[in-house]
Each structure stands twice: as structure tokens, then as C-alpha cells.
Amino acid sequence: MRYQARIVAAALGAALLLAGCGDGGSTENGGTPPDTNVSATPDFPVTVGDLTVATKPTKIVALSPTATEVLFAIGAGPQVVAVDDQSNFPANAPKSDLSAFQPNAEAIAGKSPDLVVLSNDMNNVVAQLRQLKIPVYVAPAGKTLDDTYRQITDIGALTGNRPAAEDLAKQMRTDVDKLVKDVPQRSTKLTYYYELGPELYSLTSKTFVGSLFAQLGLENIADPADADGSKGGYPQLSAESLVKADPDLIFLADTVCCQQNADSVKARPGWSGITAVKSGQIVGLNDDIASRWGPRTVDLLRQIVDAVSKVPA
């Protein structure tokens, strides 16, 4: 089940962010025209970290929904020959049966890639691919927006799309800075609850999404539930503690996977007295956008800022 996968991934921390589902969003390819000149290789060989790519890749395999979104947003889409079975954005990405959770080196090699981009070294797949002389770039789940910007520019360099990648990262910084600046100042911080599933799994301010809320000056009621970080930033709350915390805002990142919405939240026993419920400040998010750390993070932040701005000062 998709929801079970999300919870297992939550326990694994970063792997959660592979489990986004559904579709949606407004930036089909990040607004960047595709680069069809895949034969030009003026910038190669290029080295990022310990990875050197000799010539511009023309057969890229992406094993991460976020990596897929980045590749298409920087114009590398025509170079992508296959993406994993969880990648569903943009719609024209060449989805395959390759698993990001249980990657199989032999199956990946069957696509004859000259570059593989993934987010987790499950099944020791990185070593296996390198043994097959296939270049691999690992882009783990971001913890901050700086991680996102760095991965975008790294992937841009490795795929021969450096200018478009740098432009995208720059535009994201500009958009994020403006959104943060536009948040109304308050004398008292607003509190919020971020729901990953109806079993009340949440996230703390030390996670990527939590860091977005922290930038906006919001207080996360889930932070005390994982103060020492032993739960990887993804604690499960009790209904009693959540009601007692009385958040001003509730964000639902389980609207697609688990069909949660304002009505289902209102119907939960004891929840009718929570400020966010009484005030109608329950915000439904797209599961995918809310679980990936790529270009559409700006869309997520915009939705959060919009909700916060509507709360009376």
C-alpha cells in the first residue's frame, strides 16, 4: 500500500521523500526550454565530487521523482531514457518499471545509461553500477533549500545543462526570498501541525519541509516529539498531545494517498475544539509537491505563505 510505503519511508527518514503520489502542479518543465543539442560537449569532461563524466550524457536514467523533476526543469528531458516507477511528473517523463525502492543494477544496466541519478543507495546499487562502469550521481533527500540548489547545479553540470540549472536555482532563490519577505510579521508565532498520514505521523523543523516553515517563523508542535532526533525527524504524535498543543494551522500532506481533507479532520473525535479546526485553517496539500525537494518546492512554499497570510494577526 502506498500509505504503508510512506510510513516505512518516514522511519527511514530521507527515503520518505521518494513516496510522493498523484499528479498536479503548475510548472511542467520549470519554464525552461528543452536543450535538444545533446551532441554538443563543450564543458566535458566535468567532475562533481568524486564523479567524472567524460562526455555529455544522452541516455540518463533517473531513479528518484525529485531527480526526474530536476532533469526536466533544466532542459535535460530529451536526454532521459527511463525514470523510476514513482516518477510521475512531468507527464512526458519516460516512466518505466524500474524501482527506486528496490533498485536492480542489472535492470538499470539494461537501459544502457551513460548516467544514473538516484537518491538512495538501496541494495548497494551504487557500487554495482560503478563496477559496470556506469557513472552514478547520488542526490539524497535535501535537508535545506541549499541542498536543493546544489543538487540542481550539480545535475546541470553533469548533464551539460549548467546555464539552465544555474538560472533555475537563481530564480528559485529569488522566489523564495520574496515569499519569505511577504509573510506578515506577528508578535506571537503561529503554531502548526503537518500531517503525513491519518495515523498522525508528522515531521519536525529539522526536516526539509520543516525548515521551510521555520523560515516563515512558524512553530512546529511536533518538535517536542522528536527533540533528540532519534525518530529521524518523523515522529508519530498522539491525538491527546496534538489536541493539547492546539495548533493554529493544520497542513495535510495526505490528501491523495489517504483522502484526508478538512471534513475528515473535523470529524475526528476531540478535534472540533482545535483552533485550526474552529477557524477553518486546514490546508490540503498535493502529496507529491509536499514530499519532494526539487523545483516545485516554490509551489509548496507559496501555498504555505498564502495560508499563513490569511490568518488574522
Side-chain angles (χ1 to χ4, degrees):
M1 292 176 63
R2 185 181 297 276
Y3 175 61
Q4 290 175 322
R6 289 171 63 86
I7 298 305
V8 170
L12 293 173
L16 165 73
L17 300 167
L18 279 168
C21 55
D23 56 16
S26 59
T27 53
E28 180 69 15
N29 68 350
T32 304
D35 177 8
T36 56
N37 185 22
V38 296
S39 62
T41 59
D43 297 328
F44 290 86
V46 63
T47 298
V48 172
D50 61 354
L51 172 63
T52 296
V53 175
T55 59
K56 185 171 182 174
T58 59
K59 297 179 181 178
I60 301 171
V61 169
L63 294 177
S64 156
T66 295
T68 298
E69 294 191 15
V70 170
L71 285 162
F72 278 79
I74 63 174
Q79 300 160 252
V80 178
V81 295
V83 302
D84 68 279
D85 57 3
Q86 298 297 312
S87 290
N88 55 9
F89 186 88
N92 61 331
K95 194 170 182 175
S96 75
D97 58 359
L98 294 176
S99 172
F101 291 112
Q102 296 295 327
N104 180 294
E106 184 177 350
I108 297 168
K111 304 294 183 183
S112 303
D114 47 15
L115 177 65
V116 174
V117 184
L118 46 73
S119 62
N120 284 285
D121 187 14
M122 300 288 191
N123 292 343
N124 198 31
V125 68
V126 172
Q128 295 179 58
L129 291 173
R130 287 177 176 168
Q131 192 169 17
L132 295 171
K133 308 300 182 187
I134 297 173
V136 182
Y137 175 71
V138 182
K143 292 184 178 180
T144 68
L145 276 167
D146 284 340
D147 293 335
T148 294
Y149 303 144
R150 178 182 53 78
Q151 289 182 10
I152 288 173
T153 52
D154 283 355
I155 292 173
L158 291 169
T159 62
N161 296 279
R162 189 193 300 264
E166 291 176 347
D167 287 348
L168 175 60
K170 182 179 179 181
Q171 186 61 54
M172 287 182 67
R173 286 181 187 275
T174 300
D175 292 343
V176 168
D177 289 346
K178 184 177 187 309
L179 286 168
V180 172
K181 185 179 178 182
D182 287 347
V183 175
Q185 298 298 310
R186 297 173 185 274
S187 57
T188 303
K189 287 185 176 182
L190 292 173
T191 60
Y192 75 96
Y193 162 60
Y194 191 94
E195 181 167 289
L196 294 171
E199 294 181 358
L200 309 187
Y201 277 94
S202 189
L203 50 73
T204 72
S205 300
K206 295 180 180 178
T207 64
F208 178 79
V209 172
S211 73
L212 301 180
F213 284 91
Q215 280 196 75
L216 302 177
L218 273 70
E219 184 175 335
N220 189 343
I221 69 159
D223 284 349
D226 190 27
D228 62 1
S230 62
K231 297 170 184 173
Y234 298 94
Q236 183 179 24
L237 309 184
S238 68
E240 293 77 13
S241 67
L242 199 153
V243 170
K244 184 178 180 181
D246 189 24
D248 296 306
L249 288 149
I250 293 176
F251 292 89
L252 302 175
D254 52 1
T255 61
V256 178
C257 72
C258 313
Q259 294 80 51
Q260 296 303 296
N261 53 45
D263 289 339
S264 64
V265 170
K266 291 176 184 175
R268 295 175 184 175
W271 285 53
S272 60
I274 295 176
T275 296
V277 177
K278 290 189 295 185
S279 305
Q281 289 156 188
I282 302 172
V283 184
L285 304 171
N286 177 285
D287 296 22
D288 286 349
I289 298 175
S291 63
R292 299 173 186 175
W293 61 98
R296 292 196 292 171
T297 297
V298 175
D299 296 345
L300 173 62
L301 190 61
R302 185 175 292 112
Q303 192 170 3
I304 297 170
V305 170
D306 183 57
V308 171
S309 299
K310 291 177 180 176
V311 179

